[in-house]
Amino acid sequence: MDFNMKKLASGAGVFFTRAVQFTEERLGQAERTEPDADLERLAGRADVTRLWTERICRQTEVLLRPNPGVRMEEFLYEKLDRTAPQRPASGQLLGRHMEDAARSLGPELAYGRGLLLVGACEQRLGRAEREFSQVSAVALIGPLRDFLEGDWSLITKERRLLENRRLDLDACKARLRRAQAAESKAATQPDFQETRPRNYVLSASASGLWTQEVEKAGDELQRAQAEFDQQAEVTKLLLGDISSTHVNHLRCLHEFVEAQAAYYKQCHLHMEDLQKELA
């Protein structure tokens, strides 16, 4: 229990130090370590990748499932880890209505026969649309979501940790500067208001204490610098993998285009056959 309390107190102290450093930076009262230019370039490219991946993924879902109610229902089923019920495509529903109308009016009539032919074609178009939606979800939407929920979550976590390491580093730099200034002041401005030797002893003692504080702050700064450098390398490696993500997403884009081309080709063939049958 005592160990947990000490750990909690230590964590609260670190959080408070970071909050103070962050606030002073915002107010222009503290210096800030400038990020590595290469790291900033990689981070900027990663941010752009994340932004457009989200938009492309969202708009592809709109293309495949235009009904917002259906999208919301599928989202809820996904969050509940349940399988959404299979819904027929709009073309399939239209085809069923036409076929039912033909049977009601009489398939022997010209209009009834036309409804049967068009209804059957709409059913085939609807099935092709569903197949295209399923293939596209696997080929494009799935990989984009995997990146956002997997790789990008890890990148965000490591970048947040890097920012914390940077705040710790700058707080250590500020602490060392304050200790050095106090040491210099104690060494150069002894108390001459009284001539008793006690004042010189106290001045020398204060100077020694500040020297110890400078050494302690210097050691903390070295540790903070090492932790920051290590975290910067880890973050840079993750951000560098965005190039591999681009290659993977390009392959997914090719698969999506092939599926879309096959879908439109199939629809075109179905419509040509329908025109011949109606003629």
Side-chain angles (χ1 to χ4, degrees), residues 31-34 168-178 180 217 221 225:
E31 295 183 8
R32 185 182 190 276
T33 298
E34 292 300 326
D168 294 341
L169 175 62
D170 287 340
C172 287
K173 289 179 179 179
R175 192 178 303 119
L176 178 60
R177 285 193 297 268
R178 289 194 296 268
Q180 289 173 336
L221 176 59
Q225 184 70 60

Side-chain angles (χ1 to χ4, degrees), residues 65-105:
R65 290 177 284 276
N67 190 329
V70 174
R71 293 200 303 273
M72 178 58 66
E73 182 182 19
E74 291 182 351
F75 174 78
L76 293 176
Y77 273 103
E78 182 180 343
K79 291 302 178 183
L80 296 173
D81 197 20
R82 296 174 59 185
T83 303
Q86 292 289 337
R87 291 180 174 274
S90 300
Q92 288 178 292
L93 290 175
L94 176 60
R96 292 176 187 175
H97 290 328
M98 288 184 174
E99 290 176 342
D100 291 342
R103 283 188 285 269
S104 297
L105 295 172

Side-chain angles (χ1 to χ4, degrees), residues 10-247:
S10 176
V14 171
F15 178 80
F16 178 76
T17 301
R18 290 171 180 169
V20 170
Q21 178 66 28
F22 179 80
T23 303
E24 290 180 347
E25 288 176 359
R26 292 295 181 181
L27 296 175
Q29 299 174 354
E31 295 183 8
R32 185 182 190 276
T33 298
E34 292 300 326
D36 178 74
D38 189 38
L39 182 63
E40 281 291 283
R41 179 184 61 81
L42 292 173
R45 185 179 63 165
D47 288 333
V48 173
T49 300
R50 187 270 310 169
L51 172 65
W52 287 107
T53 299
E54 286 182 341
R55 291 183 179 180
I56 291 172
C57 184
R58 185 164 54 247
Q59 195 58 39
T60 303
E61 292 176 336
V62 173
L63 171 68
L64 300 178
R65 290 177 284 276
N67 190 329
V70 174
R71 293 200 303 273
M72 178 58 66
E73 182 182 19
E74 291 182 351
F75 174 78
L76 293 176
Y77 273 103
E78 182 180 343
K79 291 302 178 183
L80 296 173
D81 197 20
R82 296 174 59 185
T83 303
Q86 292 289 337
R87 291 180 174 274
S90 300
Q92 288 178 292
L93 290 175
L94 176 60
R96 292 176 187 175
H97 290 328
M98 288 184 174
E99 290 176 342
D100 291 342
R103 283 188 285 269
S104 297
L105 295 172
E108 69 280 358
L109 299 177
Y111 181 41
R113 175 172 171 74
L115 285 172
L116 279 177
L117 292 175
V118 176
C121 182
E122 292 296 334
Q123 293 260 33
R124 292 192 294 270
L125 292 174
R127 286 192 292 270
E129 180 185 351
R130 286 195 58 184
E131 291 174 2
F132 168 59
S133 297
Q134 293 171 353
V135 171
S136 299
V138 174
L140 185 61
I141 296 178
L144 296 186
R145 279 186 177 176
D146 289 342
F147 165 73
L148 294 172
E149 297 174 0
D151 294 350
W152 185 254
S153 295
L154 179 59
I155 289 174
T156 301
K157 176 183 175 182
E158 296 300 329
R159 289 175 70 180
R160 189 181 300 116
L161 183 57
L162 177 63
E163 177 63 11
N164 288 337
R165 292 285 184 264
R166 198 231 9 116
L167 289 170
D168 294 341
L169 175 62
D170 287 340
C172 287
K173 289 179 179 179
R175 192 178 303 119
L176 178 60
R177 285 193 297 268
R178 289 194 296 268
Q180 289 173 336
E183 180 191 31
S184 177
K185 182 178 180 180
T188 59
Q189 297 181 2
D191 188 358
F192 292 108
Q193 300 299 321
E194 298 184 17
T195 57
R196 286 176 293 180
R198 178 175 63 87
N199 295 307
Y200 296 100
V201 173
L202 291 175
S203 178
S205 176
S207 178
L209 290 175
W210 280 115
T211 300
Q212 294 178 6
E213 187 67 23
V214 168
E215 292 177 354
K216 180 181 177 182
D219 292 340
E220 292 177 353
L221 176 59
Q222 289 182 355
R223 286 195 297 269
Q225 184 70 60
E227 292 177 351
F228 172 78
D229 293 340
Q230 181 181 7
Q231 184 59 35
E233 287 301 317
V234 171
T235 307
K236 188 179 293 186
L237 287 174
L238 288 174
L239 293 173
D241 285 342
I242 291 295
S243 297
S244 300
T245 299
H246 289 176
V247 173

